[in-house]
Amino acid sequence: VTIGRGLDTTYQLVSKTCPLMISRKHCVFQQNAEGQWTVKDNKSLNGVWLNKQRLDPSKVYPVAEGDRIQLGVPLENRETAEYEYEVIKDEWEKIRPFLALRSDLGKAKSSRTKRKCSSDELEMSGSEGPSNSRCKRDRMSCDSESLDESWGQAEEARQLTEKLDIKLPSPGPSERDSGPVHGSSVHSKKAVTVPQMDQKGSGLAESWTGLKLLKKSLVDTRKLKVKVQEKQTAVLNVKQKCRKCDQKEILVMEQELQELQNQLCMEQEHQQQQVEELERTFCKERQKLEGEKCQQGEENLKEQLAQVLQEASDYESSLITSVMVLLQHCALMEELNRNKKDFDEIIQAKNKELEETKEEKEKVRAQKEEVLNQMNDVLENELQCTICSEYFIEAVTLNCAHSFCSYCINEWMKHKVECPICRQEIKSKTRSLVLDNCINRMVEKLNVEMKEHRLSLTRERKGER
C-alpha cells in the first residue's frame, strides 16, 4: 500500500496547511512472507516516524498493533504533526477492499488503482494531533480508472484555458456583435462545437466566445466531480453502516454513481474538442496579427525614432543642468575645505595653550606638595614632645629653652628635677601659647583620625589631673 500526495498512490494525502509536507510517494506498507506488516520510508523529504523514531530511507521496519506512525514533522505553531496514526487490527473482510491487489504490485504506475479523497475526508485529515478515527483508513477508492483518466484530461484542459485566458486581449465591441453565449448542459451526451466563424464577425471575438464556453464547461465539470465524490462517500457510508440491510439501495446508488462517471467522461471529451478548436482559431488569428504587425512596423519605427531623438534632446538639457549643479557643489566644497583648514589651525593653537596651562598647573601642584611635606617634617621633628612623642598639648618651656607637654614634664619631675634632654636643673616653667596656637592651626588640616586621637588624649590627661 503506497501513501503520498501523488495520483499514482494507493492512499492519497493532500495537506491544506503545508502542501509539500507529504512527498509524491511518501512511504510503502507491505506484508512480508511471514505475514508481518512492514513500513518503508521511500526517501521522503520530511521523513516517516515509528514510535517517535525517524526511519532510515529505503529500509524496511516491522510494525505491530499499538505502534504510532507519524508522516512529516510538526509545523512551527503546532506541537504535533498533521498526520499521526495508530496501528490496529481489524477483520480481513473489512480491510481487503482498501488494499492493493498482489497481482498489481509489479505493474507500472499507470496500471495501479488510483484513490481519491473526498472534501470531508480532507477536512478530517487536517485536524491536529493523532487521530484514531476509522475514516482515515476506510477511505473509498475509485473502482474505475476511466474517471481518473478523464479528470487528468480535464486538468490539462483547465491549465491550457488559464494560459489562453492570460494571452487574450479584451474583445471590445466585436463581443457584442457575436451574439449571446450559451453553455452546454452537464447532462448532454453530444459534444458541442465552437460556433463557426462569421464573415462579418471578428475571429478574435469568436475565440473569446469559445473560451467562455470552455470555462463554463470546466465549472460544470468541477461541480460534477464534486457530485461524484459525494456519491462515492455516500456509497461508502451505506456499505459501512448497512452491511446487512437491503442491497437494492446500494445497487441504486452504485448505478447513479456510474451514470455520473459517464457524464463526467462525456464532459471531458467535449472539453477536449473545444480546446482543439480554440487552438486552430488562435493559430489563424496569430497569422493575421503577424501580417498586420509587418505593415505597422515601419510606422512604429518612425515614431520610436522621433521619440528617441526627443529623449536625447531632453537628456542633453538635463545633463547640462546637472553639470552646472556639480560645478556649484565643487565650489562649495572648496570653500568648506578652506574653512576646515582654518578651524584646524585654531584647534591646534588652543591645544598648545591647554598643554602649557597643564604644565604650569603641574608645577604649582608640585610646589604645594613640597611645602606640605616640609610642614609635616616640621610638625614631626620640632613640634613633638620628646617624652610622649605626641604634638605638644599645653606646651611649657623650661629655663634651658627646651619645651615639653605640661602633663609630661610634671610627671617627669616626680622622679627627677632636671631636663630630660640637657640634664640641667629645672628652675622655672613658662607656658608657650604661641606653640599651642600653631599646633592647633596645623592640626585642623590633618585627617579626622588624628583629630580624634589628639582630642581623646587631651581629655584623658585632664581627667587624670
Side-chain angles (χ1 to χ4, degrees):
V1 177
T2 57
I3 295 180
R5 75 170 191 270
L7 297 176
D8 57 342
T9 56
T10 309
Y11 194 93
Q12 187 184 25
L13 293 180
V14 181
S15 175
K16 292 184 177 180
T17 57
C18 183
L20 298 181
M21 178 65 70
I22 303 300
S23 301
R24 290 184 179 89
K25 188 175 180 182
H26 199 90
C27 64
V28 179
F29 288 89
Q30 191 171 2
Q31 196 173 21
N32 56 21
E34 290 78 13
Q36 175 69 37
W37 278 96
T38 59
V39 61
K40 179 180 71 173
D41 184 2
N42 193 31
K43 298 180 181 180
S44 62
L45 177 63
N46 297 308
V48 179
W49 306 75
L50 179 61
N51 296 328
K52 298 184 180 180
Q53 296 293 330
R54 184 163 185 172
L55 306 184
D56 295 334
S58 301
K59 190 175 180 181
V60 178
Y61 291 86
V63 294
E65 185 178 6
D67 289 348
R68 291 277 181 172
I69 296 176
Q70 173 184 325
L71 305 182
V73 295
L75 299 178
E76 295 181 356
N77 55 353
R78 294 188 178 181
E79 297 179 356
T80 58
E82 184 177 1
Y83 297 106
E84 289 189 3
Y85 302 92
E86 180 181 357
V87 180
I88 64 172
K89 286 185 178 181
D90 207 341
E91 296 179 4
W92 176 254
E93 296 297 331
K94 294 181 180 180
I95 64 175
R96 185 169 58 179
F98 307 102
L99 303 179
L101 300 177
R102 290 187 178 272
S103 59
D104 296 338
L105 294 178
K107 293 183 180 180
K109 294 182 178 179
S110 60
S111 62
R112 295 182 181 176
T113 304
K114 299 180 181 180
R115 298 184 178 268
K116 297 290 181 177
C117 300
S118 64
S119 57
D120 296 335
E121 291 171 341
L122 289 178
E123 293 177 357
M124 293 179 182
S125 64
S127 60
E128 298 182 3
S131 174
N132 299 329
S133 61
R134 294 172 57 89
C135 63
K136 283 190 175 182
R137 59 181 177 79
D138 290 343
R139 291 178 177 175
M140 169 71 73
S141 65
C142 294
D143 296 331
S144 176
E145 295 184 359
S146 60
L147 178 61
D148 297 325
E149 294 174 358
S150 59
W151 178 246
Q153 295 174 0
E155 290 294 328
E156 294 176 0
R158 181 181 60 80
Q159 294 176 2
L160 180 59
T161 305
E162 291 176 355
K163 295 179 181 179
L164 296 176
D165 193 11
I166 295 173
K167 295 179 181 179
L168 279 177
S170 178
S174 59
E175 184 180 2
R176 292 190 294 269
D177 298 336
S178 62
V181 179
H182 299 284
S184 61
S185 175
V186 177
H187 301 286
S188 176
K189 296 186 179 181
K190 294 183 180 179
V192 181
T193 59
V194 181
Q196 299 295 328
M197 294 180 61
D198 191 1
Q199 296 178 356
K200 297 181 181 180
S202 174
L204 186 60
E206 292 181 0
S207 301
W208 187 265
T209 305
L211 181 60
K212 280 193 171 184
L213 286 172
L214 182 58
K215 290 174 70 175
K216 187 177 185 304
S217 179
L218 283 174
V219 172
D220 296 337
T221 304
R222 292 194 188 103
K223 294 180 180 179
L224 184 59
K225 185 177 181 298
V226 172
K227 291 181 181 180
V228 171
Q229 291 178 349
E230 292 176 354
K231 184 63 68 176
Q232 289 175 352
T233 306
V235 171
L236 178 61
N237 293 331
V238 171
K239 286 184 177 180
Q240 290 178 349
K241 297 179 180 180
C242 306
R243 296 182 183 276
K244 297 181 181 180
C245 296
D246 190 6
Q247 298 295 327
K248 291 183 179 180
E249 184 179 357
I250 298 175
L251 293 174
V252 171
M253 296 182 72
E254 288 179 350
Q255 187 177 1
E256 293 177 357
L257 177 61
Q258 186 64 30
E259 291 177 359
L260 290 174
Q261 291 175 354
N262 294 333
Q263 292 175 8
L264 185 59
C265 293
M266 294 298 295
E267 285 297 321
Q268 302 308 319
E269 293 176 0
H270 164 61
Q271 290 173 2
Q272 187 66 25
Q273 292 177 1
Q274 286 182 332
V275 170
E276 293 175 357
E277 187 67 25
L278 282 174
E279 288 178 351
R280 289 193 294 269
T281 306
F282 286 144
C283 290
K284 294 178 182 179
E285 292 299 324
R286 188 180 298 127
Q287 293 175 358
K288 291 182 180 179
L289 289 175
E290 288 176 356
E292 294 176 357
K293 285 181 180 178
C294 293
Q295 296 176 359
Q296 295 178 357
E298 295 180 359
E299 297 179 359
N300 292 335
L301 286 175
K302 291 180 180 179
E303 293 178 357
Q304 290 178 2
L305 182 59
Q307 187 177 0
V308 168
L309 292 175
Q310 183 65 29
E311 290 178 355
S313 61
D314 295 340
Y315 178 74
E316 185 179 359
S317 60
S318 62
L319 184 61
I320 293 173
T321 306
S322 301
V323 170
M324 296 296 294
V325 173
L326 184 60
L327 291 175
Q328 293 178 359
H329 283 298
C330 291
L332 183 60
M333 290 297 295
E334 291 178 358
E335 185 178 357
L336 290 175
N337 289 330
R338 288 195 297 270
N339 294 334
K340 183 180 179 182
K341 291 180 181 179
D342 296 338
F343 284 130
D344 291 339
E345 292 177 357
I346 294 172
I347 290 171
Q348 290 178 0
K350 293 294 182 181
N351 288 333
K352 289 181 180 179
E353 292 179 0
L354 288 174
E355 291 178 357
E356 293 176 357
T357 306
K358 286 181 180 179
E359 291 178 357
E360 293 178 357
K361 287 182 178 180
E362 289 179 356
K363 290 180 181 179
V364 173
R365 186 176 62 184
Q367 292 176 358
K368 287 183 178 180
E369 289 180 355
E370 187 177 358
V371 171
L372 290 174
N373 291 332
Q374 291 177 359
M375 290 177 64
N376 290 331
D377 293 339
V378 171
L379 281 172
E380 291 178 358
N381 298 327
E382 302 297 332
L383 300 179
Q384 284 185 353
C385 177
T386 56
I387 299 175
C388 63
S389 298
E390 299 286 348
Y391 297 130
F392 291 127
I393 299 175
E394 296 181 0
V396 174
T397 304
L398 302 180
N399 54 345
C400 60
H402 292 126
S403 299
F404 303 94
C405 295
S406 176
Y407 176 80
C408 296
I409 195 63
N410 291 332
E411 293 294 325
W412 177 267
M413 289 178 63
K414 291 180 181 180
H415 303 283
K416 295 180 181 181
V417 188
E418 59 183 15
C419 179
I421 299 175
C422 63
R423 302 298 181 182
Q424 290 186 12
E425 183 180 2
I426 299 173
K427 295 181 180 180
S428 64
K429 296 185 295 184
T430 305
R431 179 73 182 276
S432 180
L433 297 176
V434 176
L435 287 176
D436 289 339
N437 293 333
C438 182
I439 291 171
N440 289 333
R441 290 288 183 84
M442 296 179 71
V443 167
E444 290 179 357
K445 304 296 183 181
L446 298 177
N447 53 21
V448 179
E449 186 178 356
M450 294 295 293
K451 291 179 182 179
E452 292 180 355
H453 176 70
R454 181 175 176 80
L455 183 60
S456 62
L457 187 61
T458 304
R459 290 176 180 175
E460 182 180 355
R461 291 181 179 181
K462 285 183 180 181
E464 292 180 358
R465 188 168 53 189

